[in-house]
Amino acid sequence: MNKQVTVSVIKADIGGYVGHSAMHPGLLERASQMMEDFRSRRVLIDFHVTSCGDDLQLIMTHTFGVDHPQIHQLAWEIFRECTGTARELKLYGAGQDLLADAFSGNVRGMGPGVAEMEITERESEPLLIFMADKTSAGAWNLPLFKMFADPFNTAGLIISPAMHAGFRFEVHDVKQHQRIFFNTPEEMYDLLVFIGATGRYVIKAVYTREGEVGAVSSTQRLALIAGKYVGKDDPVCIVRSQGKFPAVGEVLEPFTMPHIVEGWMRGSHYGPLMPTSVRQATPARFDGPPRVICLGFQLAEGRLIGPRDMFDDPSFDEVRRQVNILADQMRRHGPFEPHRLPMDEMEYTTLPQVMEKLRDRWEALPETLTPA
Ligand code: 13P
Ligand code: 13P
Ligand code: MG
Ligand code: MG
């Protein structure tokens, strides 16, 4: 097949079961029925519905291209419909991520997270779809950097002639709404200056040097859209693998390091990211630690052959153990940084209300105590 196929992953938190820990099976069932209907009407080529923690994940293939109103609208309809079910069951935070009442052509800026890529399906097209809960956009910066730019992670950068030229990174400044491109390896240090600040600079996509897309992520920041804390942005990311892209094992390898991300309890803490099976993506301890799941598919004429639950493997047991050790260590800090997020990030949580309440209680230091 030489025609283009679009892979869309659109997700939203529409109500948690119990609290923010997981998704009620009734919602998954309702979403699957609706997707089945869209597939039988040939709007979709194929789909897979899953959840990561309390987020409903809609994985779809179709031929409409990215950002298409029809696809975004069907996702919105499913989220609305399942929110109804969530309300009946009085699930926690029903409709949490739906920040608008009416659909206006595109779910971007309306709460749901979106990652989409339009590709020409290769002879064989292994796809890895990452979904995380209790963290935010920016959590993919370190793993994407390792996959596509770190030769200690990705042997193919050294060994494979198809990858030796390096890659091109698209980085978004989510606060100033601007973007920049960097070529690696040449501009690796410049790239790292920015993507190390994960709360502001987010890797949106990675391309081959010829411009073919290899990875895309969701970059929605709910608090920046809503102007207040309404839950975390629990991001998703699509990665193509093998051939001119990193091998499956190279794409998974970064998750053997329990790297620290923002999120966890009340979206206000740093904690280690734990790769788990779909079944174990049910953040419990202190509403965490943050989870990441990965579903693998082979595309066949747009059909999603799979999924394989990639972290459901004993080779990730050790990182899970290390995450628990780190989680203990972080938790012992209680409300102190660097477990709790720094002030500028807390601005997007409930802190401003506390600040406002105490505003008039602050008094100037006596002159004897101020610097000369
Ligand atoms: P490709 O370069 O053919 O994708 O495979 C490399 C490999 O053997 C991965 O382990
Ligand atoms: P979610 O963003 O996954 O809904 O989590 C919110 C929260 O406050 C967890 O403690
Ligand atoms: Mg929630
Ligand atoms: Mg969530």
Side-chain angles (χ1 to χ4, degrees):
M1 181 168 97
N2 239 350
K3 60 179 202 288
Q4 302 273 96
V5 53
T6 309
V7 183
S8 298
V9 182
I10 307 187
K11 50 80 44 184
D13 179 342
I14 47 166
Y17 166 67
V18 170
H20 293 282
S21 66
M23 168 133 307
H24 190 279
L27 272 55
L28 286 168
E29 211 175 295
R30 186 72 194 105
S32 299
Q33 282 166 355
M34 291 180 77
M35 291 282 258
E36 189 56 65
D37 185 45
F38 287 114
R39 180 167 61 183
S40 64
R41 282 159 40 199
R42 298 182 189 276
V43 179
L44 299 176
I45 303 174
D46 207 355
F47 72 88
H48 181 76
V49 174
T50 191
S51 60
C52 180
D54 60 359
D55 292 292
L56 180 61
Q57 308 281 349
L58 308 178
I59 300 168
M60 300 170 272
T61 53
H62 55 89
T63 52
F64 293 93
V66 303
D67 263 341
H68 197 278
Q70 197 171 347
I71 297 300
H72 281 229
Q73 177 153 16
L74 79 81
W76 185 257
E77 276 173 31
I78 294 173
F79 293 142
R80 288 296 294 238
E81 172 69 21
C82 291
T83 295
T85 313
R87 292 217 164 98
E88 278 165 32
L89 301 173
K90 295 184 72 173
L91 299 182
Y92 197 70
Q96 177 180 286
D97 285 359
L98 307 186
L99 303 181
D101 291 328
F103 181 74
S104 60
N106 194 302
V107 293
R108 267 188 296 105
M110 298 179 73
V114 187
E116 297 181 286
M117 55 164 68
E118 187 176 36
I119 59 176
T120 303
E121 190 177 296
R122 293 172 294 164
E123 171 93 17
S124 180
E125 188 65 66
L127 275 184
L128 295 166
I129 298 180
F130 292 92
M131 295 154 270
D133 189 39
K134 303 297 175 273
T135 181
S136 73
W140 309 125
N141 281 11
L142 185 146
L144 282 173
F145 174 81
K146 285 192 168 186
M147 287 172 212
F148 288 93
D150 177 5
F152 283 77
N153 180 88
T154 297
L157 294 168
I158 309 291
I159 295 169
S160 166
M163 291 173 65
H164 202 74
F167 288 93
R168 185 169 173 79
F169 287 75
E170 176 179 343
V171 176
H172 288 196
D173 173 346
V174 295
K175 293 196 174 149
Q176 291 297 321
H177 304 291
Q178 49 183 355
R179 68 176 177 180
I180 186 170
F181 291 84
F182 294 103
N183 289 334
T184 56
E186 316 84 283
E187 299 178 304
M188 179 187 288
Y189 298 162
D190 291 339
L191 170 68
L192 285 167
V193 165
F194 295 98
I195 64 169
T198 54
R200 172 153 182 187
Y201 300 99
V202 179
I203 299 173
K204 178 65 193 175
V206 186
Y207 307 89
T208 64
R209 295 297 281 268
E210 284 74 43
E212 194 173 348
V213 67
V216 287
S217 76
S218 62
T219 48
Q220 285 70 26
R221 299 266 315 185
L222 276 180
L224 298 181
I225 298 167
K228 64 175 187 341
Y229 179 67
V230 286
K232 268 294 177 193
D233 320 300
D234 299 336
V236 292
C237 181
I238 309 170
V239 181
R240 298 170 78 185
S241 176
Q242 301 295 149
K244 63 185 90 166
F245 303 111
V248 167
E250 291 167 338
V251 174
L252 300 179
E253 183 67 8
F255 297 93
T256 59
M257 200 279 258
H259 89 283
I260 308 278
V261 296
E262 63 173 74
W264 210 345
M265 175 59 75
R266 298 173 190 279
S268 304
H269 296 82
Y270 282 115
L273 185 62
M274 181 188 270
T276 65
S277 64
V278 175
R279 194 177 59 80
Q280 291 194 322
T282 49
R285 181 190 182 178
F286 200 57
D287 287 2
R291 301 300 152 102
V292 56
I293 58 173
C294 176
L295 291 184
F297 297 93
Q298 291 287 153
L299 268 193
E301 314 299 323
R303 281 181 306 140
L304 290 160
I305 308 304
R308 281 217 60 240
D309 190 348
M310 304 307 289
F311 291 138
D312 188 8
D313 187 275
S315 58
F316 292 92
D317 285 350
E318 182 56 21
V319 61
R320 290 189 272 264
R321 195 184 69 87
Q322 286 176 18
V323 164
N324 281 328
I325 293 169
L326 271 167
D328 275 339
Q329 179 58 15
M330 298 296 281
R331 281 300 302 126
R332 287 157 76 191
H333 289 79
F336 284 75
E337 296 176 17
H339 183 27
R340 201 201 66 185
L341 295 187
M343 279 302 213
D344 60 332
E345 288 287 332
M346 293 291 285
E347 267 177 44
Y348 299 103
T349 67
T350 43
L351 193 70
Q353 289 154 40
V354 181
M355 296 285 246
E356 183 56 29
K357 189 181 78 181
L358 298 177
R359 200 166 48 129
D360 297 334
R361 301 244 314 259
W362 289 92
E363 46 189 86
L365 288 180
E367 218 160 287
T368 48
L369 294 176
T370 49

